[in-house]
Amino acid sequence: MVAEHSVKKNFSVTLRVWRQAGPNQPGKFVDYPATDISPDMSFLEMLDVVNDGLTKIGDEPIAFAHDCREGICGTCSCTINGKPHGPGKGIATCQVYMRSFGEGDVIVVEPFRARAFPLIKDLVTNREAFDKIQQAGGFISVRTGAAPDANSIPVPKEDADLAMDAASCIGCGACVAACKNASAMLFVAAKVSQLGLMPQGQPERDKRVLAMVKTMDEAGFGNCSNQYECSAVCPKLITHDFIARMNRDYLAALFRSNFKPVSGASDGGA
Amino acid sequence: MNLLVSLFKTSIGKKFLMALTGLVMVGFVTGHLVGNLQIFFQPDRINGYAHFLQALGPVLWAIRLFLLVCVAVHVWAAVALTLESRAARGPEAYAIKKWLSATVASRYMRLSGIVVLAFLIYHLAHFTLGVAQPGTFKTALPEWKMLEDAREFGFPLAAKGDVVHDVYSMVFLGFANPVVSIFYIIAVGLLSVHMLHGIDSLFQTIGWRSAKWSCLLRKVALVYCIVYFLGNLAIPGAILTGIAKPAVGTYAAQKLAASPAATSSAVQP
Ligand code: HEM
Ligand code: FES
């Protein structure tokens, strides 16, 4: 594959990029030619090259977020030709290569669009809302002290595998960006399930799902309409089965929290 | 947290209400269709059945009220969720919009829902309240005298000689009007499309769907919706095309025989 493509000649495309100087400022699409692009460049390298050119002529470079550039941090986020993370399946923007495009293509690059992800500049959005959701319950409370023996808590292999699938979420926000309702259900479902599937996650299971969904609602995300656009763009291919699982978990927790007897301990009982 | 408040306030709570009320309505429309298909038997059947329902009195009202509450909650949740979701996109829309995995039925839930709601109001005005076509409403037609005892699973519905409303003729005369029939067909078509996504979706909302059987679920929903549509198509379709003719001796038969060419005139008061 690589050999076949590496003989391909360099080519040129037109970038149509959303430029916006800052929050609450007017934004617009601006066209930039990207010439003499190697098909083996990554999409972000191509943006670097275009930015070098802009800097040389004294223009403001295109702001885009990136960090690991190997698909594990979830920082790079933009919508390329109407699809978050661009062409390809199970990859992040940083793993898109220019060989996915052809000579003369117009590539439209937009930021992730969601009210809960306010725009900072150009293609950079503030995805703090995800951190808030995590802080509401995406953890387990443990007492520090001597570390328990490894494997002292048995975990069924299937549960461990499933929890690992959920845990592969890198929190990039593509699920929100792809959803027609800007819903964060896939993200929250992955985070809820990751812990809810493990024995260590059980004590706070109900509290966790109730608190994380509450924080999700408060952040201004939309509502899931079960169309599964989210899992179709997830760079980690996290399945929307986790959403069904979270719905079940949430409803059970909601009913339990209303019918569970309340202990008198806080009033000084035994 | 109070359970009811949470159900009405949270995103998943509202979706759950939508799924539950949707499920109730799927159950209702299925039963309603089965009941209506009795139009193809002797007039005693559907007239006896309608008489039985009417005779339920307060129970009928309780059922009607429950169904109305379901419709109201379903529509309220649909509007609330839609408004929230619209706002959630933020100030700027995407320049390029793409569908990746959403089924066609799922993209038009709001549209199909609105048409179904408009139809529902018309349908109640037509066959329940009698304000849409008062001339052929059951209370304006001569009453029907039961020829035989009517029974369902051995349960008596109406007795021989009972004088009951002539629902049989009302349906034949109502659907003899092509405009009424075509609106009906379009509405049940869209309702079938609505339920195609709805049935799939409600299992996900309640948490009963997974990749293990999602394929089967979609197939079951598809078969259900096709059967539901064909069943509903049969009634106005057969009446309009003349495949089904009202039984000899009924009021509808006389009326339609009197003006066979312009069937629509039969519905004029
Ligand atoms: C009366 C007017 C109606 C309106 C305005 C309406 C609207 C909607 C909307 C907007 C949705 C949400 C779809 C989504 O979130 O993707 C929905 C879902 C649904 N509707 Fe309706 N609908 C109506 C009537 C009906 C009827 C008559 C039935 C059943 C026969 C029905 C069954 C369902 C079901 C089962 C769902 C799925 C619930 C879920 O997503 O979990 N609806 N409806
Ligand atoms: S830059 Fe880290 S995932 Fe793309």
Side-chain angles (χ1 to χ4, degrees), chain A residues 81 110 113 217 228 241 258, chain B residues 1 11 89 98 101 209:
Chain A
N81 288 341
E110 301 174 76
R113 301 267 187 218
D217 285 354
Y228 317 138
D241 284 10
N258 274 272
Chain B
M1 230 191 323
S11 55
R89 179 87 294 150
K98 240 184 211 160
S101 68
R209 198 209 61 93

Side-chain angles (χ1 to χ4, degrees), chain A residues 44 65-76 92-94 170:
Chain A
L44 296 188
H66 59 98
D67 188 14
C68 72
R69 295 207 179 198
E70 56 177 6
I72 56 168
C73 73
T75 311
C76 58
T93 300
C94 58
I170 54 177

Side-chain angles (χ1 to χ4, degrees), chain B residues 10-32:
Chain B
T10 64
S11 55
I12 300 181
K14 274 179 276 201
K15 288 273 338 184
F16 179 63
L17 291 177
M18 185 105 141
L20 269 193
T21 52
L23 186 62
V24 168
M25 290 191 284
V26 171
F28 168 75
V29 296
T30 310
H32 191 52

Side-chain angles (χ1 to χ4, degrees), chain A residues 42-83:
Chain A
S42 77
F43 187 79
L44 296 188
E45 282 170 328
M46 180 275 299
L47 282 181
D48 291 335
V49 169
V50 170
N51 274 347
D52 281 350
L54 289 176
T55 312
K56 269 185 205 142
I57 59 169
D59 262 1
E60 184 76 10
I62 302 160
F64 63 95
H66 59 98
D67 188 14
C68 72
R69 295 207 179 198
E70 56 177 6
I72 56 168
C73 73
T75 311
C76 58
S77 54
C78 45
T79 303
I80 305 169
N81 288 341
K83 183 167 175 276

Side-chain angles (χ1 to χ4, degrees), chain A residues 18 29 79 81-84 108 110-116 176-182 185 210 213 216-217 220-229 232-233 240-241 243-244 246-248 250-251 254-255 257-259, chain B residues 1-4 6-7 9-13 15-16 80-82 84-85 87-103 106-107 110 197 200-212 218:
Chain A
W18 182 261
F29 282 102
T79 303
N81 288 341
K83 183 167 175 276
V108 180
E110 301 174 76
F112 280 1
R113 301 267 187 218
R115 186 174 57 151
V176 175
C179 174
K180 292 298 174 265
N181 312 313
M185 289 285 274
L210 293 174
V213 169
M216 169 184 87
D217 285 354
F221 291 104
N223 305 299
C224 179
S225 51
N226 302 334
Q227 292 174 303
Y228 317 138
E229 299 284 296
V233 300
H240 47 267
D241 284 10
I243 298 181
M246 175 168 76
N247 285 335
R248 203 167 60 228
Y250 179 84
L251 292 167
L254 192 61
F255 279 82
S257 73
N258 274 272
F259 296 109
Chain B
M1 230 191 323
N2 185 292
L3 181 63
L4 268 185
S6 311
L7 286 180
K9 275 196 138 167
T10 64
S11 55
I12 300 181
K15 288 273 338 184
F16 179 63
L81 290 166
T82 302
E84 284 170 15
S85 295
R89 179 87 294 150
E92 209 75 49
Y94 281 113
I96 298 190
K97 300 187 179 77
K98 240 184 211 160
W99 287 106
L100 299 167
S101 68
T103 58
S106 76
R107 300 176 202 173
R110 288 143 200 182
H197 175 68
D200 189 41
S201 177
L202 86 89
F203 278 84
Q204 172 82 352
T205 301
I206 296 175
W208 293 338
R209 198 209 61 93
S210 86
K212 275 193 189 141
R218 280 210 170 151

